[in-house]
Amino acid sequence: MKQLWQVREVSTLMILVLEVAFFTWYLWPSDGGHPFLNVGNALLILKYSSIYGIAAIGAAIVIITGGIDLSSGAVIGLTSVVTGYFFVQADWSLTASALMGLMVGLSAGLASSWLIVGMRLPPFIATLGVMGIWRGAGYIITEARFYDLSAKLPRNWTVVGVSIDWVPPLVMVALAGTFQVLMKRFQWGRAIFAVGGNETAALFSGLRVGLVKTTAYVTAGLLAAISGVVLAVVQGQGKADLANGYELDIIASAVVGGTSLTGGRGSVAGAVLGALIFGVLRNALPQIPGATFYDRVIVGLAVIVIVVMDQIMVRRGEA
Amino acid sequence: MITAGLEFCDVAKAFGAVQALRGVSFTIAAGDAHACVGENGAGKSTLLKILAGIIRPDRGALSWAGERIHFSTPREALEHGIGMVYQEMLAFPNLSVTANIFAGREITNRWGVLDERAMRARTQELLMQLHVPVTPDTSMQHVSTACAQLVQVARALAFDCRVLVLDEPTTSLTDAEVDHLFGVVTRLRQQGVTVLFVSHRLPEVYRLCDRITVLRDGQFVDTFERATTPSDDIVRAMVGREPPRRVPHSSSVPQFPSSPVPQFPSSPALQVRGLSRRPAFEDVSFQVAPGEIVGMFGLVGSGRTEILETLFGLATPDAGQVAVDGQAIYVRSTRDAARAGLALVPENRQRQGLFFNLSLRHNLVLPLAAKQGVGLIRDAGEETAARAQVEALTIKAPHLKVTPDALSGGNQQKIVAGKWLATTPKVLLLDEPTKGVDVGAKFEIHNLIRHQADAGMACLMVSSDLPEVLALADRILVMREGHLRGELPGAGATEETVMRLATHDVDLDRPAGGNA
Ligand SMILES: Nc1ncnc2c1ncn2[C@@H]1O[C@H](COP(=O)(O)OP(=O)(O)OP(=O)(O)O)[C@@H](O)[C@H]1O
Ligand SMILES: [Mg+2]
């Protein structure tokens, strides 16, 4: 039987707990309230992490099939623009505008999978192209302006009784739970793992490899678009250059959460935990005096250290 | 008299300039066990892949019970009851054995949730029937090649099928495992399943099949009745001329003129003392003299491959000493092993033996070039060396620039065996060197091994093909359950004595393990 700490999600969770413990200790105030360990800050971390975390679920799924999705940042940005356009310019309801925003993700997913499955482009190239086009579309629509959603959004509003601040993290947790079950307990998930493990074998086993890949990219697109809607609401803006470069942080979240870039291995729950690990770093590092110029370096080192530690643990577990 | 079962009608297929099938027509009676044999590259696998919906034929048709069938995807073929075991042994290394068996056809409850318990139970049952020594939850990457082959078979047996197609399913198996497999297949036949079997081991073909179809160069030669055809006739039909002289009777393995009993020099080329790597094997001691061919035999799971891998630095032993030419060596990596003068012909050509991104030529000369340590690669010399190899081993390839995936399974194997035989290591470790290789080429490879041994190389050969071990080995080491159970001189050993040591708990000879 596997030891508990060898279960991937558990070891990622342990890293997160250690990280929080470290910053709690390091930033312990000599007097007054704790700058890091308080409800307001926790909520802030959760809120911003969910933008990465929701998209990281999709990134993990795509990576497990043996592919990669570089378009998530662009999808998030364009979704904020489209949502903003319909909400502010066309004066639609927020729900209807958000649904239009989701179309951005759906279209990106369909385009990527058409290029990859139909045209047989490598996923890196296909999604790189989609990333450029979808990002560019945002600039064309906004012409360097931005949509100010905050003016029209109600203050202190609630969604089914939950304060809006708590909605993004709850959405992230609900999606992570749903996809974790889909990946582990349903045929669809098994097919995703099989395609990533050995594509030829999957084909010979009668799996519809093209269809499986298409569902993976469309899911990733839709999840990135949900992140985009969340960002638009949290930030109160629809702007073409939002979430610039997020795709790499999103992929890094999935990898830190135990997803192997060679495909066939990984977990969506781990990806969300990975996003939280980065969320905490992004929040806590600026609070350390003098660390301002080092935070990118530290984040980079963290990725390497965590993945190396993970590989050592995996090897131990196998021996 | 043949009740129309499966019918191939004028099936043709070309890969570029290579005509793999040139209009093959024959019929397999429903409920029959039918063999399809032929030399490496004759087109057998291509024919089966057409049946399984993986390859689309250029022309021709298939029919079942008089009705035309046409599968454009493997999925369709599966849905129509074609169960297939592929020669390439395609597994999902990242999934468990259970998940491998049910990949694409998982059992679910009515909510669509995977029914892990039902799948585990069915897997357990299949593994028991075939006597596979793995558990349903084992990750496939930890399953040995031979067991993986049985898992592939289990995968085809897990579902009801009308036609069971087996493309060389026994290349890594010894007679004991083949018995279990044939037992299951025979039971299926009684339930009316039609079996199509491809193998280069004629004795197996004769055991299982009623009719034998021979293909040669993509052409149908003839269909023979087992009962009335001696195997010599089959071999003749396969090669299209009189079989090469010493290719023998039914065992289909060449006998060698009794080689001179090698003198044992003071220091053995390879000496292994108390080598252990639990749980694979324990306390194994033996030695191989220069010029000696030592065969190592044992059932699937007895630890044969693991010993070779450990010697070659692919795994770390728990205990034991290894010496080459009397010098103790500590092998921590394959590079260490190569430096010490060891070379390994690996068991799994797909995973360990070939560079699928490199041409045939580069695959053939790579070990040689690496050994000579030349930074600069001379084109002309390479070309000549490669061409000589291709001829010596009768590798069937359109030209030297093809990548190995365009070659038939047996021809790929010839590359793996040939490239190491071209170098002259002090100790050559061979793991199933003639797996899936046809009779004629097997003879050539045996000759090469014998030739190298005569020149002073020490050979340690693992093979599940017992006739091969008997024909080639000067001494035979027999493994059972991770222990060395005995040692037999090559000359006096028979299939029976070796099998007795490999299967029963009797130590005929002194226990060679040094634990006495
Ligand atoms: N994908 C491919 N591309 C190019 N040529 C191929 C391909 N697959 C097979 N061939 C060629 O077709 C011929 C028949 O191959 P096939 O695999 O059917 O042989 P086989 O009878 O199964 O041989 P073996 O006993 O070695 O498995 C060979 O000459 C091979 O080189
Ligand atoms: Mg073949």
Side-chain angles (χ1 to χ4, degrees), chain A residues 50-112:
Chain A
S50 52
I51 294 158
Y52 294 89
I54 294 169
I57 297 172
I61 294 171
V62 165
I63 295 172
I64 293 171
T65 66
I68 191 92
D69 182 8
L70 295 176
S71 69
S72 49
V75 168
I76 294 175
L78 182 59
T79 303
S80 79
V81 167
V82 169
T83 308
Y85 172 86
F86 284 102
F87 189 59
V88 177
Q89 197 92 342
D91 204 23
W92 289 20
S93 74
L94 184 60
T95 316
S97 312
L99 282 176
M100 292 313 290
L102 294 189
M103 293 303 128
V104 172
L106 179 67
S107 58
L110 287 173
S112 298

Side-chain angles (χ1 to χ4, degrees), chain B residues 15 18 20 39-46 87 168 200 406-410:
Chain B
F15 296 101
V18 179
E39 291 189 299
N40 293 134
K44 306 176 295 291
S45 298
T46 306
Q87 185 177 12
E168 302 195 33
H200 290 290
L407 300 184
S408 78

Side-chain angles (χ1 to χ4, degrees), chain A residues 64 184-187 190-191 193-208 263-265 318, chain B residues 49 54 74-75 78 86 90-95 99 103-106 108 111-114 116 119 141-142 155:
Chain A
I64 293 171
K184 296 281 180 198
R185 295 269 171 270
F186 284 80
Q187 266 183 320
R190 195 50 66 75
F193 278 98
V195 167
N198 185 340
E199 198 173 319
T200 320
L203 186 71
F204 283 24
S205 304
L207 283 166
R208 282 170 286 211
R265 264 166 241 279
E318 280 173 0
Chain B
K49 282 184 184 162
I54 295 193
R75 193 183 184 83
L78 287 169
Y86 296 97
L90 296 154
F92 302 99
N94 57 330
L95 299 179
R105 291 177 289 176
E106 291 86 356
T108 54
W111 310 108
V113 180
L114 298 181
E116 297 284 359
M119 289 193 279
Q141 64 183 332
H142 301 310
R155 208 162 114 182

Side-chain angles (χ1 to χ4, degrees), chain B residues 277-341:
Chain B
R277 193 181 114 212
R278 276 166 288 260
F281 59 88
E282 223 179 310
D283 200 14
V284 171
S285 305
F286 61 89
Q287 53 187 33
V288 187
E292 197 185 19
I293 301 174
V294 173
M296 187 177 266
F297 184 81
L299 303 187
V300 167
S302 61
R304 317 161 289 178
T305 294
E306 287 82 354
I307 290 182
L308 292 197
E309 285 180 352
T310 308
L311 287 174
F312 197 61
L314 287 163
T316 325
D318 307 328
Q321 289 109 44
V322 180
V324 172
D325 274 348
Q327 294 262 308
I329 59 165
Y330 302 95
V331 175
R332 252 168 269 103
S333 66
T334 53
R335 199 171 164 75
D336 288 350
R339 285 237 181 93

Side-chain angles (χ1 to χ4, degrees), chain B residues 295-488:
Chain B
M296 187 177 266
F297 184 81
L299 303 187
V300 167
S302 61
R304 317 161 289 178
T305 294
E306 287 82 354
I307 290 182
L308 292 197
E309 285 180 352
T310 308
L311 287 174
F312 197 61
L314 287 163
T316 325
D318 307 328
Q321 289 109 44
V322 180
V324 172
D325 274 348
Q327 294 262 308
I329 59 165
Y330 302 95
V331 175
R332 252 168 269 103
S333 66
T334 53
R335 199 171 164 75
D336 288 350
R339 285 237 181 93
L342 269 62
L344 171 72
V345 174
E347 179 180 25
N348 188 322
R349 57 177 173 253
Q350 301 279 333
R351 272 206 312 236
Q352 309 162 320
L354 292 168
F355 298 95
F356 282 94
N357 55 338
L358 295 183
S359 68
L360 168 60
R361 183 178 107 186
H362 287 122
N363 266 287
L364 276 170
V365 298
L366 203 91
L368 200 58
K371 184 151 188 289
Q372 291 165 346
V374 282
L376 188 71
I377 295 168
R378 276 173 316 157
D379 248 20
E382 231 184 64
E383 180 92 19
T384 334
R387 206 167 283 289
Q389 293 254 49
V390 167
E391 247 161 58
L393 296 163
T394 61
I395 296 175
K396 198 179 161 198
H399 46 78
L400 288 173
K401 290 205 189 76
V402 291
T403 50
D405 52 359
L407 300 184
S408 78
N411 283 307
Q412 292 177 9
Q413 184 63 35
K414 292 180 203 169
I415 304 176
V416 178
K419 67 176 185 180
W420 288 109
L421 282 167
T423 67
T424 42
K426 285 181 198 149
V427 181
L428 182 59
L429 309 169
L430 300 144
D431 199 352
E432 308 280 0
T434 61
K435 179 175 177 176
V437 164
D438 66 33
V439 181
K442 198 169 185 172
F443 181 74
E444 294 304 330
I445 290 179
H446 286 174
N447 268 340
L448 273 173
I449 296 175
R450 176 49 75 194
H451 182 80
Q452 292 284 51
D454 287 343
M457 185 172 74
C459 287
L460 178 60
M461 176 180 78
V462 165
S463 174
S464 42
D465 190 353
L466 191 44
E468 170 171 271
V469 175
L470 290 171
L472 205 55
D474 300 316
R475 253 180 328 129
I476 302 170
L477 306 172
V478 184
M479 296 282 300
R480 176 161 43 81
E481 288 162 6
H483 290 271
L484 202 53
R485 290 297 175 183
E487 182 184 317
L488 300 163

Side-chain angles (χ1 to χ4, degrees), chain B residues 136-153:
Chain B
D137 299 324
T138 315
S139 170
M140 201 64 187
Q141 64 183 332
H142 301 310
V143 173
S144 71
T145 307
C147 290
Q149 191 160 40
L150 286 166
V151 170
Q152 299 303 305
V153 174

Side-chain angles (χ1 to χ4, degrees), chain B residues 209-224:
Chain B
C209 299
D210 312 313
R211 289 190 189 79
I212 303 163
T213 288
V214 176
L215 295 185
R216 185 174 70 234
D217 284 335
Q219 257 154 347
F220 169 77
V221 178
D222 207 348
T223 297
F224 300 92

Side-chain angles (χ1 to χ4, degrees), chain A residues 193-247:
Chain A
F193 278 98
V195 167
N198 185 340
E199 198 173 319
T200 320
L203 186 71
F204 283 24
S205 304
L207 283 166
R208 282 170 286 211
V209 175
L211 185 66
V212 171
K213 286 189 182 173
T214 304
T215 60
Y217 285 93
V218 167
T219 305
L222 284 172
L223 286 167
I226 294 175
S227 287
V229 172
V230 169
L231 182 62
V233 172
V234 167
Q235 201 102 314
Q237 278 185 345
K239 201 159 161 239
D241 61 356
L242 284 186
N244 227 340
Y246 275 29
E247 56 277 350

